[in-house]
Amino acid sequence: MHGSSGVGHLVDRHPDVTPERLIAQLVPPPTFADVSFDSYLPDPAEPSQAAAVQSCAQFCDQAVERRAGKKKLFGRRETLPGVGLYLDGGFGVGKTHLLASSYYRLPEPKAFATFGELTQLASVFGFVECIELLADYVVVCIDEFELDDPGNTTLISRLLSQLVERGVSVAATSNTLPEQLGEGRFAAQDFLREINTLAAIFTTVRIDGPDYRHRGLPPAPEPPSDDDVVRGAAQRPGATLDGFDELCAHLATMHPSRYSTLIEGVSAVYLTDVHPIDDQNVALRLVSLTDRLYDAGIPVIASGAKLDTVFSEDMLAGGFRKKYLRATSRLLALSRQGDA
């Protein structure tokens, strides 16, 4: 794969992430850099979407009030506990759009992180230091709260409950499956049970609707040939070209928190020989990379198997089904950008 002249390769990049960089990254991804409540277009057929906008706006008002605290005698202020909002729903109904809009509506200091970035922050700084770091924030927004890693979920629950006590408000989105039993109520209950220390402060808001990434869109397109991919990469400034297996092996050499830095400045990712994955670890790393590519809006052009077959049926039958379906939805959206 390294024969092509002048084209960079992700496998040649070895990014490093400093604590300062981790803090600087706590903002919404580039895809959501310009969103607002006004730019969210609720589906008229799904009244829960317009209602969710109202709930988010109300949450923002409450978060500011809580951070200000309660006036006491002699001008001192008493800290009021923060409020919590949990946006529950399937893929592509605009949960991240609303979460990022809430972030932008609120004053500094504030943080926006994926669940993975937050666990990484806690592991780099330590639990107590992480609380000190965020204790004066107005809000911490967490995108895609994960319920499939009990250790991390418990850690983050403890972290959030301590922050809430100090006046920090918390907004989170779920990664529920649309077809889950009870249309997602199930996931909301799971969430509140997992973070039972926080359950009392969280208001759960359900957002219904079809995945907007698939609205009226055709299924996965036929993949281009290897030659087309190599040629396309050579013609696109800033593109990278890698073999699928080589890239998957390279991802194993670094913590997923470095994937953002790995793809920094890349205009498009070209891959050859894509095939279904049957190793859980490889698949989960690919999910993390896909999320970072999607956040940055970097197109993916891939030869080999169709992108909706990367996560095998066996994989989809397991506990990480919701992650794999989300990643498939995002890969297809990025491949359509590549076609554009």
Side-chain angles (χ1 to χ4, degrees):
M1 220 48 274
H2 285 52
S4 52
S5 60
V7 179
H9 308 283
L10 291 177
V11 295
D12 294 337
R13 294 175 163 221
H14 302 278
D16 197 25
V17 179
T18 62
E20 294 75 21
R21 162 116 199 182
L22 277 176
I23 296 170
Q25 280 176 199
L26 298 180
V27 295
T31 323
F32 296 96
D34 301 313
V35 299
S36 66
F37 293 136
D38 290 339
S39 66
Y40 180 82
L41 303 173
D43 184 338
E46 301 288 351
S48 63
Q49 295 188 5
V53 179
Q54 296 304 316
S55 298
C56 289
Q58 194 178 359
F59 165 80
C60 291
D61 292 342
Q62 290 176 323
V64 171
E65 281 171 23
R66 294 305 179 102
R67 185 70 280 174
K70 195 158 56 174
K71 272 199 176 136
K72 295 177 75 177
L73 287 172
F74 313 115
R76 282 201 309 246
R77 285 185 175 271
E78 177 189 351
T79 302
L80 292 173
V83 286
L85 179 72
Y86 177 62
L87 300 173
D88 179 46
F91 310 118
V93 292
K95 298 188 303 292
T96 304
H97 184 133
L98 290 176
L99 190 69
S101 301
S102 301
Y103 170 90
Y104 287 124
R105 170 75 67 96
L106 287 162
E108 299 277 1
K110 54 191 175 180
F112 185 106
T114 62
F115 186 83
E117 284 169 339
L118 205 56
T119 51
Q120 169 71 356
L121 199 68
S123 65
V124 167
F125 284 97
F127 187 76
V128 176
E129 290 80 359
C130 199
I131 291 167
E132 291 305 320
L133 183 75
L134 301 171
D136 295 327
Y137 278 42
V138 177
V139 71
V140 174
C141 298
I142 306 154
D143 200 22
E144 304 287 4
F145 203 103
E146 305 285 8
L147 289 169
D148 38 31
D149 184 331
N152 280 342
T153 305
T154 307
L155 167 80
I156 297 302
S157 301
R158 281 179 53 218
L159 177 74
L160 294 181
S161 53
Q162 300 233 5
L163 289 174
V164 165
E165 278 174 26
R166 299 197 183 199
V168 182
S169 292
V170 178
T173 67
S174 72
N175 54 7
T176 332
L177 267 183
E179 62 267 30
Q180 248 170 0
L181 208 59
E183 256 301 283
R185 312 267 179 266
F186 167 72
Q189 283 160 9
D190 264 9
F191 174 80
L192 294 176
R193 185 169 60 243
E194 281 290 345
I195 58 162
N196 52 12
T197 44
L198 280 172
I201 69 134
F202 266 96
T203 303
T204 301
V205 173
R206 172 77 195 164
I207 310 176
D208 297 301
D211 184 340
Y212 75 89
R213 290 187 285 269
H214 290 170
R215 279 179 207 161
L217 290 170
E222 284 298 323
S225 69
D226 282 359
D227 287 347
D228 287 343
V229 168
V230 172
R231 212 172 13 254
Q235 291 169 352
R236 192 170 200 158
T240 58
L241 174 65
D242 293 271
F244 185 63
D245 285 335
E246 289 84 358
L247 178 60
C248 288
H250 187 54
L251 294 178
T253 67
M254 68 190 82
H255 190 277
S257 63
R258 298 186 178 193
Y259 293 176
S260 294
T261 319
L262 177 70
I263 59 171
E264 205 164 39
V266 172
S267 64
V269 168
Y270 286 78
L271 298 172
T272 55
D273 304 317
V274 168
H275 59 82
I277 298 171
D278 50 18
D279 180 314
Q280 196 91 266
N281 292 320
V282 176
L284 289 171
R285 284 192 285 266
L286 186 63
V287 168
S288 292
L289 178 67
T290 300
D291 285 343
R292 299 292 74 78
L293 289 168
Y294 184 76
D295 287 346
I298 297 173
V300 174
I301 300 91
S303 67
K306 286 187 176 184
L307 289 174
D308 58 1
T309 65
V310 170
F311 304 104
S312 65
E313 286 302 319
D314 283 353
M315 288 285 180
L316 291 175
F320 295 110
R321 174 178 167 80
K322 57 192 173 189
K323 282 190 178 185
Y324 297 147
L325 287 176
R326 181 183 83 221
T328 300
S329 170
R330 291 181 161 186
L331 275 173
L332 291 177
L334 293 173
S335 74
R336 291 191 191 99
Q337 281 185 27
D339 289 343

